[in-house]
């Protein structure tokens, strides 16, 4: 009886090999790490009681899933938290000494567990976190042409008492069909309806009472409404 069972199992295996072939397809394995996080900068959330900094998103052949954040301690850099993979990655940490400077580094990761090169260090000041009034004002002037195109000019004014260093403007288009096509004056990105514009080296500083001008041409479908809100470095502008 045992020999009969062995013979039956062998026949079944032979049938499977005949039907599907002797080779088995191997799924592709993701071994490409995300790019190194860059553009780390302080004061991205001015009213947070502690440290808060942001950076330029990393890229990956499949997709970045998050970031590990490390803070310098006497024994070296120690992981203190994680940040999600968003359009403007940001990390904030409370419970620190107000006025003291802390050093951070960031590492991107993907779903396969691949890790990027660790970022360069960034110095971040722990702030008191008092509510802050708007320090910026945005003028948004747009003109529609050819029924499906538009040209927009944006001025960012510093109405505060200190200079704005390394700024990022963020807003959301009200209509799904609005799309930037030929921006200038900043490094622009758009994900869905969300748009960000980051300073270039030559216009990174907006002094008190000063302004910078940027703009973009674009396309739309049937409507080109003005965004409702604008934020610079996370602070709502007037």
């Amino acid at each position: 009886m045992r020999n009969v069972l062995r013979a039956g199992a062998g026949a079944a295996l032979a049938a499977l090999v005949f039907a599907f072939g002797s080779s088995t397809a191997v799924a592709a394995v993701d071994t490409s790490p995300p790019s190194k996080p860059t553009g780390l900068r302080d004061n991205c959330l001015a009213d947070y009681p502690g440290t808060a900094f942001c950076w330029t998103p990393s890229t990956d052949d499949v997709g970045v899933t998050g970031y590990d954040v490390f803070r310098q301690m006497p024994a070296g850099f120690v992981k203190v938290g994680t940040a999600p993979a968003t359009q403007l990655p940001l990390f904030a940490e409370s419970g620190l000494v107000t006025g003291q400077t802390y050093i951070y580094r960031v590492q991107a990761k993907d779903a396969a567990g691949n890790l990027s090169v660790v970022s360069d260090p960034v110095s971040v000041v722990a702030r008191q976190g008092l509510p802050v009034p708007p320090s910026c004002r945005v003028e948004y002037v747009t003109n529609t042409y050819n029924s499906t195109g538009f040209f927009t000019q944006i001025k960012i004014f510093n109405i505060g008492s200190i200079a704005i260093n390394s700024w990022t403007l963020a807003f959301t288009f009200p209509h799904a069909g609005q799309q930037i096509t030929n921006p200038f004056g900043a490094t622009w990105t758009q994900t869905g309806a969300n748009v960000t514009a980051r300073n270039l080296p030559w216009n990174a500083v907006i002094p008190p009472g000063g302004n910078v001008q940027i703009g973009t041409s674009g396309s739309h479908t049937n409507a080109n409404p003005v965004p409702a809100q604008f934020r610079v470095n996370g602070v709502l502008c007037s």
Side-chain angles (χ1 to χ4, degrees):
M1 175 64 72
R2 184 175 299 172
N3 291 334
V4 172
L5 290 174
R6 288 178 178 173
L13 178 60
L16 287 172
V17 170
F18 178 79
F20 297 103
S22 58
S23 62
T24 302
V26 178
V29 177
D30 178 14
T31 59
S32 298
S35 64
K36 173 183 173 180
T38 59
L40 279 71
R41 52 200 181 274
D42 186 15
N43 200 21
C44 293
L45 197 61
D47 58 352
Y48 184 80
T51 56
F53 65 99
C54 55
W55 57 92
T56 302
S58 295
T59 58
D60 185 68
D61 60 333
V62 177
V64 176
T65 57
Y67 301 86
D68 291 329
V69 180
F70 303 85
R71 174 159 52 85
Q72 188 176 46
M73 298 185 184
F77 280 90
V78 177
K79 182 178 176 180
V80 292
T82 60
T86 59
Q87 186 178 3
L88 182 63
L90 182 145
F91 179 79
E93 185 178 14
S94 61
L96 303 175
V97 179
T98 300
Q100 183 168 318
T101 298
Y102 296 86
I103 309 298
Y104 292 89
R105 301 181 78 174
V106 176
Q107 187 173 38
K109 55 188 177 182
D110 63 18
N114 298 307
L115 300 176
S116 74
V117 173
V118 180
S119 74
D120 294 333
V122 62
S123 299
V124 184
V125 177
R127 291 176 168 79
Q128 190 172 5
L130 294 176
V132 295
S135 59
C136 54
R137 180 171 61 86
V138 172
E139 287 185 0
Y140 183 99
V141 179
T142 186
N143 295 295
T144 303
Y145 62 88
N146 294 339
S147 300
T148 59
F150 67 83
F151 179 77
T152 295
Q153 289 184 305
I154 300 173
K155 281 187 178 181
I156 306 171
F157 293 85
N158 181 355
I159 61 174
S161 59
I162 61 174
I164 298 175
N165 293 286
S166 300
W167 51 267
T168 298
L169 171 70
F171 61 88
T172 300
F173 278 132
H175 194 273
Q178 291 171 289
Q179 181 74 38
I180 62 174
T181 58
N182 190 25
F184 63 88
T187 300
W188 293 71
T189 58
Q190 180 173 354
T191 303
N194 298 315
V195 179
T196 60
R198 296 181 177 86
N199 67 267
L200 297 174
W202 57 269
N203 64 1
V205 179
I206 311 176
N211 69 84
V212 297
Q213 181 171 313
I214 61 176
T216 182
S217 57
S219 61
H220 67 88
T221 55
N222 302 321
N224 183 36
V226 174
Q229 293 183 337
F230 300 89
R231 292 181 181 271
V232 171
N233 293 346
V235 177
L236 183 65
C237 298
S238 59

